[in-house]
Amino acid sequence: MGQVVREGLAGTQAAATMRRALDMCFARKTDLTVDQWAEKEVVLSAQHGVPKAMAGPYRSSRTPYTRWLQQVFTDPDVETIVVMKAHQTGATEAIFNLIRYVVANAMGDILYAIDSKDEAKKLSRKRLRPSLQGCPACAKHIPDDSDRFQLLFMHLYSCTVELVGGGTPGAFAQKNATWVILDELDKYKYQLGAESGPWELASDRGTAHDEGKQIGISTPTVESGKIHELFLEGTQHKYHVPCPHCDHFQVLEWDRMQFDHCRTDQMELGEQLNDEGHQPATLGSYDQQRVLEETYYQCSNPDCPVGRIDESSKQEMVARGEWRQTNFDALPANVSMHISALVSPFKKMRWGRLAVMFLKARGKVVKMQHFWNSILGLPFKSKSASIRREHLLRLCGAYRPGELP
């Protein structure tokens, strides 16, 4: 009797496997782009590690600047995609949409690298696996056998997904995938004297797949960092938004953010007292509350009839924005883009809060680098001065050898 039951179960499992294989063979390939597919199939929750503001059905309208990124994923003429980004911009979720899209539509194996093996395990446990399990279009490809759905290697019915620590020696050895994704690229450790770094080694993993792509995404560090180097080699697309008053398209840049009118040292002493007769909380010589509430952006068009762009206009501006290429010497197949938190919709990225953060970082190199990297999505360039011999000689006093001043 037991033998009959086992044989019956084995036959049922084999039949189910056969049905899945046939379904995949005859399934109609989607004509949707990644963002269109995600809006139809993906529901985000706190279990996926996303902010509460993004919980619910995925909507690209929350971060409209990520739409083109997700459309480029399936562009047959594009080979490499480089995203130099700030924190909290929605770019990482766009990458996760690509993974879900590939899994659901059986479009090839995925190799996902992050800076360390521990980070790869953490990302898989907290975000990737729950994300796949929570998406019905992906969940149907997850095997019942838990040994085939592990943290670092997922042998799905539609493809395989492997996660590695990209900064470790041999991370890309004997690996092969259609889609190669390198996350937090600037945190990878490079071996001194090595002819090739992780990006170059990873590029060899997908050369056998004409339809494959290599994707690098990272917050930058310094100008010599890898993500900045790759950004400069690519098309250098930047997101341009229109002024609500003159319709002039421009890239939002920090030096046009205005909050100097919130300086307390520009007021008379009596004007520095608030309604309760106390001095306001200040950041150096700035009224913190006023900076939070009154920071605005100055339109780059000198003929703009208004000039002042308030935070309340940001959502509409970003919704109407468009990506524009700025490096026309690059090969069209090598797309690169920069995403700043100045266009981010999240509450913590409001202009006034960013201005307060900037003022707190003044004079502190580490904090200012964090602001430059994580908020503006730009590499940090520390200021230094060169000292020449003649400069030192000018400081010498008129003393004879052996004479103390």
Side-chain angles (χ1 to χ4, degrees):
M1 181 66 179
Q3 180 68 21
V4 173
V5 171
R6 284 195 296 272
E7 289 178 354
L9 289 173
T12 302
Q13 292 172 349
T17 301
M18 181 63 72
R19 280 197 300 272
R20 278 191 290 265
L22 290 172
D23 287 344
M24 289 172 55
C25 289
F26 294 103
R28 182 179 180 273
K29 297 300 181 183
T30 180
D31 294 327
L32 301 176
T33 58
V34 174
D35 59 308
Q36 293 170 340
W37 177 89
E39 294 201 350
K40 180 182 176 184
E41 302 286 354
V42 175
V43 177
L44 303 174
S45 73
Q47 293 180 341
H48 304 156
V50 301
K52 289 183 179 180
M54 291 187 68
Y58 177 80
R59 294 291 179 263
S60 62
S61 57
R62 293 169 180 156
T63 54
Y65 46 85
T66 65
R67 283 181 183 143
W68 182 68
L69 166 61
Q70 297 178 74
Q71 292 161 9
V72 170
F73 287 149
T74 51
D75 187 333
D77 296 325
V78 174
E79 298 175 4
T80 64
I81 303 169
V82 172
V83 185
M84 186 173 71
K85 69 175 187 70
H87 287 173
Q88 296 195 32
T89 56
T92 300
E93 198 59 49
I95 296 293
F96 274 74
N97 279 343
L98 169 64
I99 296 175
R100 291 184 282 251
Y101 180 89
V102 171
V103 168
N105 294 285
M107 296 179 64
D109 295 337
I110 301 170
L111 177 61
Y112 189 107
I114 199 166
D115 53 301
S116 71
K117 190 174 182 179
D118 287 342
E119 284 298 315
K121 288 181 178 179
K122 184 190 302 183
L123 179 140
S124 180
R125 182 184 302 109
K126 292 186 175 182
R127 295 200 63 181
L128 182 55
R129 291 209 312 176
S131 171
L132 295 176
Q133 291 168 325
C135 175
C138 297
K140 65 182 182 182
H141 296 293
I142 299 175
D144 296 329
D145 185 353
S146 59
D147 289 338
R148 293 163 60 88
F149 190 60
Q150 299 179 356
L151 286 177
L152 298 182
F153 191 83
M154 305 173 199
H155 193 90
L156 309 175
Y157 293 126
S158 57
C159 65
T160 62
V161 180
E162 185 171 3
L163 291 87
V164 298
T168 56
F172 302 101
Q174 298 181 342
K175 303 288 193 303
N176 193 285
T178 307
W179 305 84
V180 181
I181 303 169
L182 289 84
D183 195 357
E184 293 298 348
L185 191 55
D186 261 24
K187 293 183 179 179
Y188 291 14
K189 294 179 181 178
Y190 287 73
Q191 291 181 303
L192 293 175
E195 294 183 2
S196 301
W199 177 263
E200 291 74 22
L201 293 172
S203 67
D204 296 334
R205 303 303 98 197
T207 53
H209 304 275
D210 291 338
E211 71 278 17
K213 287 180 175 55
Q214 181 166 339
I215 301 163
I217 178 170
S218 182
T219 300
T221 50
V222 294
E223 289 187 321
S224 59
K226 191 63 180 180
I227 197 69
H228 185 240
E229 173 192 323
L230 295 171
F231 171 75
L232 294 179
E233 292 175 358
T235 55
Q236 298 181 37
H237 275 78
K238 298 181 180 180
Y239 198 65
H240 291 66
V241 296
C243 171
H245 310 300
C246 67
D247 218 35
H248 174 68
F249 275 77
Q250 57 204 288
V251 177
L252 296 185
E253 298 176 336
W254 184 251
D255 60 2
R256 303 198 70 82
M257 202 63 70
Q258 305 296 313
F259 45 84
D260 271 356
H261 59 286
C262 302
R263 294 177 67 100
T264 57
D265 56 5
Q266 291 181 345
M267 308 176 189
E268 298 296 332
L269 181 59
E271 295 177 332
Q272 295 183 21
L273 302 180
N274 60 24
D275 294 339
E276 298 177 354
H278 302 294
Q279 286 189 331
T282 61
L283 290 167
S285 57
Y286 289 82
D287 182 332
Q288 178 172 332
Q289 193 60 37
R290 289 190 63 198
V291 172
L292 283 170
E293 297 174 356
E294 300 178 22
T295 295
Y296 67 91
Y297 192 84
Q298 183 67 34
C299 177
S300 63
N301 179 13
D303 298 323
C304 179
V306 178
R308 173 172 176 151
I309 303 174
D310 291 314
E311 175 87 28
S312 58
S313 299
K314 183 170 74 171
Q315 183 177 357
E316 180 186 353
M317 292 168 61
V318 174
R320 293 179 57 209
E322 57 188 47
W323 285 99
R324 295 182 179 180
Q325 183 174 346
T326 63
N327 178 19
F328 294 93
D329 294 328
L331 293 174
N334 298 335
V335 171
S336 66
M337 60 189 72
H338 167 243
I339 304 177
S340 162
L342 296 183
V343 297
S344 173
F346 302 116
K347 185 176 180 180
K348 290 185 177 180
M349 296 296 155
R350 291 179 62 85
W351 292 342
R353 296 188 70 160
L354 299 185
V356 170
M357 191 183 302
F358 173 80
L359 292 171
K360 288 182 176 180
R362 288 182 306 171
K364 304 176 180 68
V365 175
V366 174
K367 287 188 175 182
M368 188 56 74
Q369 177 169 354
H370 172 78
F371 181 85
W372 221 250
N373 297 161
S374 301
I375 303 303
L376 302 184
L378 294 172
F380 183 69
K381 183 178 181 181
S382 59
K383 294 182 179 180
S384 60
S386 60
I387 301 177
R388 305 178 67 175
R389 181 173 180 273
E390 53 267 30
H391 295 159
L392 292 175
L393 291 176
R394 291 192 194 122
L395 301 176
C396 294
Y399 304 107
R400 290 176 295 180
E403 181 181 356
L404 296 176

